[in-house]
Amino acid sequence: MRLILIGPPGVGKGTQARRLAEHFGIPQIATGDILRVHVRDKTDLGKQAQSYMNKGQLVPDDVILAMAEARLREPDAAGGFILDGFPRTVPQALGLGIILERLDVALDAIVAIAVKQDVILTRLAARRSCVQCGAVYNLVINPPKTMGVCDACGGAELIQREDDRPKTIRKRFDVYQEQTFPLLSYYRPTGLLREVDGDAVVDEIFYHILEALPDKPNRS
Ligand code: AP5
């Protein structure tokens, strides 16, 4: 299965991508997560990306496309992948098309998740992430066993993401509307776009996504 998940900040892309990756036994490729590892490790790419991310802006397309192609060429992505948060602009979608042609593979579906902004703001206010391993919690629906401490990697600190401050969230919504929302019109003519309501519990959304996917994925 080769999928793209599209949706505004905090809509639940990462949450559903992790479930889908486990279900199909394929990797979740989240450009935001890859960038945060670069920022944490203070690589050149991380230093370049950090200022864009902290302001809620998109990292330049050429940087993202090079990073995405390298990840898609890794052996674990040969049998399928869930793209979480990539592509995010029409030029990135065009670039992805070229990368997939080079790899001789085709997409099976583009899943767009939508939720009202006020619901998302409540979710993001309650999100906490592990500084070390990136595990994601929500103080309402899945809090850590011990407040402020990561269950997954045994003790690292949980923080609110720098870009989850109200002013930056508003900027991210604007950027989504201007630069990412047009992807729905870009992908609609392919017949692969599936639109799913994300205002439900995690299991129900997961079920609706599975229902919307093709029974038989493309072989190539
Ligand atoms: P990225 O990390 O991709 O951020 P995003 O797209 O803004 O999405 P989020 O990670 O904030 O949210 P999500 O939709 O994954 O929601 P989640 O599942 O965590 O990107 C960050 C930055 O990196 C960008 O701003 C940009 O600068 C840069 N970047 C990344 N990719 C790029 C690209 N391709 N091009 C250029 N720049 C790029 O859920 C949110 C919370 O809600 C969690 O606490 C979760 O537990 C909870 N939750 C989830 N589902 C539900 C539910 N159904 N009910 C209740 N709570 C729920």
Side-chain angles (χ1 to χ4, degrees):
M1 189 65 73
R2 295 182 177 90
L3 295 184
I4 295 176
L5 289 187
I6 296 179
V11 77
K13 300 181 297 296
T15 303
Q16 296 300 329
R18 282 186 285 281
R19 294 283 298 266
L20 290 161
E22 196 180 325
H23 179 83
F24 290 111
I26 53 180
Q28 168 202 14
I29 299 182
T31 41
D33 290 348
I34 300 173
L35 289 168
R36 276 185 288 280
V37 170
H38 279 281
V39 171
R40 182 197 68 194
D41 295 346
K42 298 186 170 56
T43 66
D44 288 344
L45 196 159
K47 286 177 200 157
Q48 194 187 345
Q50 187 168 24
S51 62
Y52 294 99
M53 295 171 78
N54 287 353
K55 284 187 236 153
Q57 295 168 348
L58 296 184
V59 175
D61 290 335
D62 55 343
V63 175
I64 294 291
L65 282 166
M67 196 179 85
E69 176 157 14
R71 181 63 187 90
L72 284 165
R73 287 186 178 280
E74 286 180 27
D76 67 335
F81 47 77
I82 315 288
L83 293 179
D84 162 8
F86 168 78
R88 240 180 241 242
T89 63
V90 172
Q92 287 184 21
L94 291 164
L96 173 64
I98 295 168
I99 294 169
L100 296 181
E101 260 176 42
R102 283 191 205 127
L103 295 172
D104 198 20
V105 297
L107 291 170
D108 294 298
I110 296 102
V111 177
I113 311 176
V115 177
K116 286 200 200 107
Q117 256 191 39
D118 55 338
V119 176
I120 294 183
L121 286 171
T122 311
R123 289 182 187 177
L124 287 180
R127 175 164 67 183
R128 297 292 181 274
S129 311
C130 175
V131 277
Q132 193 52 40
C133 72
V136 177
Y137 298 85
N138 185 286
L139 300 181
V140 181
I141 64 161
N142 67 333
K145 290 192 188 86
T146 306
M147 205 45 74
V149 176
C150 182
D151 300 336
C153 70
E157 185 197 0
L158 298 182
I159 52 146
Q160 186 158 31
R161 264 169 49 177
E162 190 68 31
D163 60 351
D164 275 351
R165 299 176 197 281
K167 191 171 157 225
T168 317
I169 294 174
R170 277 196 295 279
K171 175 70 183 165
R172 286 159 66 205
F173 280 136
D174 291 346
V175 167
Y176 174 79
Q177 209 52 39
E178 284 161 24
Q179 301 193 54
T180 308
F181 186 72
L183 282 180
L184 273 59
S185 303
Y186 175 84
Y187 280 121
R188 198 164 278 118
T190 64
L192 299 179
L193 182 66
R194 305 285 178 265
E195 295 180 70
V196 173
D197 180 7
D199 193 2
V201 295
V202 172
D203 285 350
E204 196 180 332
I205 302 165
F206 180 62
Y207 173 76
H208 286 307
I209 294 176
L210 287 184
E211 252 189 346
L213 296 180
D215 292 337
K216 289 190 184 147
N218 283 309
R219 286 281 149 233
S220 62

